[in-house]
Structures are given as structure tokens and as C-alpha cells.
Amino acid sequence: MTLTELRYIVAVARERHFGRAAASCFVSQPTLSVAVKKLEEELGVALFERSASDVTLTPIGGRLVEQAQRVLEEVQLIKQLAEQGKDPLAGPLRLGIIYTISPYLLPHLIPQLRLAAPQMQILLEENYTARLVEMLKQGEIDVAIVAEPFFEAGLATQAVYDEPFVVATPKGHPWESEAEIDSSVLADENVLLLSSGNCFRDHVLQACPDLNRESLPVGSLQRTLQGSSLTTIRHMVAGGIGVTVLPATSVSSADDLLLTIRPFKDPIPTRRVILAWRRNFPRTAAVEAVRQAVLNAPLPAVSMLNNEPIH
């Protein structure tokens, strides 16, 4: 049994396809298939059920793959401990970040990190919260920037800032004359939301529960007003289709040409942005460098949370 074979079975379990697993491991499919078969023969059990269209884990295969993942993480930890002994701020740091934060934070964050840790190469992964959590647990990324609520066993977190939401309407909308918008009036409008899977959609629905569309008739206009990105939603609002809620950091001077931006009345809906990392991740100085870079980022309208340093 080798570490390479363990990597192969973890890849097959993840991809549920021998070809894709081989590609992710940068080997040929026959090489991977032979190695997996050899391991199954050595262990005396079948790890996978194979069919023409799918590959699934056997019950014992699922348990063995979980253990293989833990073994690989421990091996990675040994390497990271060795690197930490040299310089925790040297070498690559794999940073995950959710879609509704990355375009607005990264232009400020990356320059700050380059100044603070010029030897630390930042490898970026932009994705949904659920996928970033999975990648953290599997050791595919080291740190994630996500938003609360966030409850995951085995992961440490540190809050970095609170961000208010704002209302965006097309030019000429009746709310243009209002200084502030009460969240309750949004239920009377066509409000564009991000599609399911985006945590910012959930944040908006939590702050404005009257917007929950599940009770609306199928096919109604309000039910279908969704966008895949905040940029798409902006254009839809500018086109007069409806109004939307945006995180304050996403608002720029360019919006003044097509949109009207208004703050909420108290209580103002907000989201808390946090860092998350594995509790056994040895390069805590690198996590602290990310935290400091976030705190030094000149983000508009947010309230930075200068908590205790990460040790």
C-alpha cells in the first residue's frame, strides 16, 4: 500500500469516474485503474462498484476512503510542519473566497499581502461556501473567506468585518426621493436575488423574510427574478426589471450612471465576514497575515473587527 494508491482512491471517490480521477492526478487512466485494482486485491475487498455510467463506493470502500483522506491530511501536515520550521510566510497559501466577496476584497487584499509577505504565493479558489468548506476539510485549500452563519466541526474561525447591505433601484424609481429604505417595503417590489446556492441570497432572505418566494405561484414574475452574479443583477436592475439588495462593498462610482443606491433604515441588514481554517493547520502566522491584510483593506462602509491576533 502506497500514498499514491491512497491518493488515487480518494480521487476516484471524489470524481466518481476513473477518467476524471486520472486527469486530476495527472496520470493515465490505465495507470490509475491498475493501481486501484492492486490495492483492492491487497486489501481483499472491493472499494468501488463500477458501471458503464457511474462509479460508487461500496460500504467498506466509503470507510476506507475516509481513512485514506485522514492519512493524506496527516502526511500533508508533516510537510507543513517542516515548512513552518523554515518560514510560515514563505511558500504557497491556498486561499478560498466566496463569489460575493472576491471581486471587491481581492483588489485590496492581494497588494496588502504582497507587502506583508512577499515570499508567500497566493493561490486563489473562488467558489460557493459549501464547496469551500469541503475543500478546507480535504486539505485542498488552507484558508477561506466566507460569511456567517458558519458552523463546521474541526474548523477554526475569526471574524474580520461587518458589512451593511444597501438597496439598488433603476434611475427614476420612486424610491429615488427616499433617504433610507425600510426593509418591509421590499416585499411590494420585484426584487432580484442571486440563484440558489449563493449564501448572499440566504443572507438577504434572512434579513428580509417577506422576500421568501417559495409561497408564490409557480411562474410568477417575482419567482423567476434571479441572477447568477451580482453583475448580472445590476444590469437587470438598470434595465428596469426590478430592484435588488447589494453588499455595500460591491457599490462603486460607476453605479451612479444607471442605478440609485440607498441605505436601509435601522435595523440595517448586515453580514459578518470571517476567516476559516483547519484547527491543525500549522501556519497560523500565514492566517494572521491574511487577517491583517483584510483589516488594512480600504473597504467602503464596513466595520472592521480588530479581534485578538491568531496564534
Side-chain angles (χ1 to χ4, degrees):
M1 185 187 306
T2 66
L3 291 176
T4 298
E5 290 168 347
L6 297 185
R7 292 191 184 96
Y8 289 171
I9 66 171
V10 168
V12 174
R14 181 181 65 245
E15 301 293 342
R16 298 183 61 167
H17 188 277
F18 277 82
R20 291 194 298 270
S24 71
C25 295
F26 304 102
V27 297
S28 68
Q29 182 172 338
T31 297
L32 181 138
S33 297
V34 168
V36 171
K37 186 64 176 176
K38 175 178 172 291
L39 181 58
E40 288 180 318
E41 290 174 352
E42 178 181 345
L43 296 174
V45 295
L47 301 177
F48 303 100
E49 294 179 2
R50 301 155 172 86
S51 70
S53 59
D54 197 13
V55 176
T56 58
L57 282 163
T58 63
I60 186 62
R63 294 171 59 189
L64 291 174
V65 166
E66 287 180 8
Q67 184 62 38
Q69 179 64 52
R70 287 193 287 268
V71 170
L72 294 174
E73 288 177 4
E74 291 299 321
V75 171
Q76 184 64 28
L77 180 57
I78 291 173
K79 295 179 180 179
Q80 291 172 348
L81 286 169
E83 288 297 322
Q84 186 185 36
K86 302 173 186 175
D87 182 356
L89 297 183
L93 183 77
R94 298 164 298 177
L95 176 65
I97 186 166
I98 58 176
Y99 291 115
T100 57
I101 293 178
S102 59
Y104 319 111
L105 175 60
L106 288 179
H108 306 293
L109 178 69
I110 297 304
Q112 292 289 342
L113 280 173
R114 291 292 293 165
L115 287 173
Q119 302 303 313
M120 189 165 67
Q121 193 177 28
I122 306 300
L123 307 178
L124 295 171
E125 171 68 33
E126 189 181 35
N127 220 309
Y128 297 110
T129 299
R131 177 59 183 143
L132 293 180
V133 168
E134 181 183 343
M135 295 180 75
L136 267 179
K137 290 182 173 181
Q138 293 181 354
E140 296 176 20
I141 59 174
D142 304 316
V143 188
I145 300 177
V146 294
E148 290 185 344
F150 188 89
F151 306 102
E152 293 292 338
L155 299 181
T157 61
Q158 175 79 281
V160 283
Y161 64 82
D162 290 332
E163 178 178 16
F165 302 162
V166 297
V167 178
T169 71
K171 290 293 185 181
H173 191 278
W175 291 353
E176 200 167 58
S177 60
E178 301 289 334
E180 298 175 320
I181 306 299
D182 192 307
S183 61
S184 64
V185 302
L186 290 173
D188 300 325
E189 287 283 329
N190 293 324
V191 181
L192 286 86
L193 298 176
L194 287 171
S195 54
S196 296
N198 286 279
C199 62
F200 185 70
R201 171 194 174 91
D202 299 330
H203 296 153
V204 174
L205 290 176
Q206 289 166 7
C208 310
D210 291 339
L211 295 182
N212 197 316
R213 312 299 170 80
E214 298 307 316
S215 60
L216 293 177
V218 174
S220 68
L221 180 61
Q222 287 182 312
R223 189 181 181 91
T224 59
L225 289 177
Q226 298 184 14
S228 60
S229 71
L230 293 179
T231 300
T232 300
I233 285 179
R234 268 187 175 80
H235 291 307
M236 293 170 73
V237 171
I241 295 176
V243 303
T244 195
V245 177
L246 298 173
T249 55
S250 71
V251 176
S252 69
S253 58
D255 290 322
D256 294 339
L257 298 176
L258 297 173
L259 302 175
T260 297
I261 307 296
R262 290 291 181 266
F264 278 96
K265 288 182 179 179
D266 286 332
I268 299 171
T270 62
R271 67 174 173 181
R272 174 156 290 186
V273 175
I274 64 172
L275 299 182
W277 65 98
R278 292 182 302 284
R279 292 188 183 278
N280 62 355
F281 182 59
R283 296 172 61 195
T284 52
V287 182
E288 173 62 16
V290 174
R291 187 183 79 93
Q292 287 295 335
V294 173
L295 295 179
N296 292 332
L299 297 175
V302 309
S303 298
M304 292 295 179
L305 304 171
N306 198 354
N307 299 315
E308 290 294 318
I310 296 168
H311 299 293

